[in-house]
């Protein structure tokens, strides 16, 4: 087994409960870690024997482009889609951060972290 991590996937999106967040958007950062079997690809040196991180990045970017009020909701969509499209993934740890959130204070980011295992 092994892990593949994508750190600090940067996107601009329109998530949030406030009307202004839907209009003007905000910067987000996503961290993704998946567990999968890396033994075959470590021997074969073939992309077809592993989880392609280009596909993982594409899923994150596409799901982040769909507006949600809550970070938890977009996180759930990302996890569900990865499990659906990549059966070789057995565990996902996902962090979604809203940078400079409009919460009336000097806060760098608000982050939700979700961990799910394949059923």
């Amino acid at each position: 087994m092994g892990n593949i991590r994508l750190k600090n996937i940067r996107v601009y999106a329109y998530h949030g409960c406030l009307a202004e967040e839907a209009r003007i958007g905000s910067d987000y950062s996503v961290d993704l870690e998946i567990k999968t079997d890396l033994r075959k690809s470590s021997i074969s040196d073939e992309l077809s024997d592993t989880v392609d991180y280009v596909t993982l990045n594409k899923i994150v970017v596409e799901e982040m482009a769909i507006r949600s009020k809550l970070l938890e909701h977009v996180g759930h969509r990302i996890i569900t889609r990865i499990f659906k499209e990549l059966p070789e993934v057995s565990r996902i740890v996902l962090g979604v951060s809203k940078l400079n959130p409009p919460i009336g204070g000097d806060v760098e980011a608000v982050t939700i972290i979700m961990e799910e295992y394949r059923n």
Side-chain angles (χ1 to χ4, degrees):
M1 296 303 281
N3 296 325
I4 297 175
R5 291 185 185 138
L6 282 74
K7 294 182 181 181
N8 197 21
I9 302 167
R10 292 175 297 278
V11 296
Y12 197 85
Y14 297 86
H15 308 301
C17 294
L18 303 176
E20 66 191 51
E21 293 174 301
R23 263 193 334 274
I24 62 174
S26 185
D27 290 309
Y28 293 81
S29 173
V30 178
D31 293 313
L32 174 66
E33 179 179 330
I34 61 112
K35 181 176 275 306
T36 191
D37 191 342
L38 299 177
R39 291 174 288 195
K40 186 174 180 182
S41 61
S42 70
I43 295 167
S44 73
D45 197 27
E46 294 295 332
L47 181 59
S48 60
D49 291 333
T50 192
V51 174
D52 187 352
Y53 49 78
V54 172
T55 302
L56 293 169
N57 184 70
K58 179 178 180 269
I59 290 170
V60 168
V61 170
E62 288 176 358
E63 293 301 324
M64 287 295 291
I66 301 168
R67 179 165 160 48
S68 291
K69 289 185 276 182
L70 301 178
L71 298 180
E72 295 91 323
H73 188 260
V74 71
H76 176 74
R77 283 201 325 268
I78 292 167
I79 289 169
T80 299
R81 187 162 164 205
I82 290 170
F83 279 143
K84 180 180 178 187
E85 294 183 21
L86 301 167
E88 58 274 34
V89 173
S90 61
R91 175 181 152 262
I92 299 170
V93 178
L94 176 74
V96 180
S97 300
K98 179 182 282 193
L99 308 179
N100 302 308
I103 60 174
D106 187 11
V107 177
E108 181 179 338
V110 172
T111 304
I112 61 102
I113 299 172
M114 302 172 81
E115 181 176 3
E116 296 288 337
Y117 293 83
R118 181 176 296 283
N119 293 333

